[in-house]
Amino acid sequence: AHYGFRQLKLYFMLGLPTEGDEDVAAIAALCEAVAERFGGRVTANITPFVPKAHTPLQWAGMMPARAVNARLKALRKRLKRKRIDVRGDRTGGR
């Protein structure tokens, strides 16, 4: 591994208000590039966007759970080929 670390954990959010398929593909591409250069174990921790009070996005709607889950599944499938561990719970609801 590089830089004295054996593992590296990256954090991302899915379901942001302006998110498109290209953004999800960019998350995967960044994870792949990091894993290629890092050489150690890489984990991507993915959480769904939840609007919080007193923030600029407090009134933004949430992406439907079905869409977030589909994007998480696609990321897992793509990154599994590169042996990148994807952590993230499926969201409830529809």
Side-chain angles (χ1 to χ4, degrees):
H2 294 288
Y3 311 109
F5 297 100
R6 291 179 289 137
Q7 58 185 359
L8 182 66
K9 189 178 284 192
L10 306 172
Y11 293 87
F12 300 96
M13 267 193 231
L14 284 180
L16 288 159
T18 60
E19 179 181 283
D21 292 339
E22 66 279 0
D23 297 307
V24 179
I27 289 172
L30 177 61
C31 290
E32 291 166 345
V34 167
E36 184 177 310
R37 287 168 181 78
F38 179 65
R41 179 177 167 198
V42 175
T43 301
N45 194 353
I46 315 279
T47 58
F49 166 74
V50 177
K52 302 290 185 201
H54 311 294
T55 66
L57 297 175
Q58 68 179 339
W59 304 114
M62 288 180 64
M63 181 178 282
R66 182 178 303 144
V68 173
N69 291 336
R71 289 178 173 195
L72 181 59
K73 183 178 179 180
L75 277 172
R76 278 196 170 111
K77 182 178 179 180
R78 178 172 169 178
L79 295 177
K80 184 177 183 178
R81 294 187 301 245
K82 301 289 184 173
R83 291 190 273 181
I84 298 169
D85 187 29
V86 177
R87 303 264 169 108
D89 293 330
R90 291 173 41 101
T91 61
R94 297 180 194 158

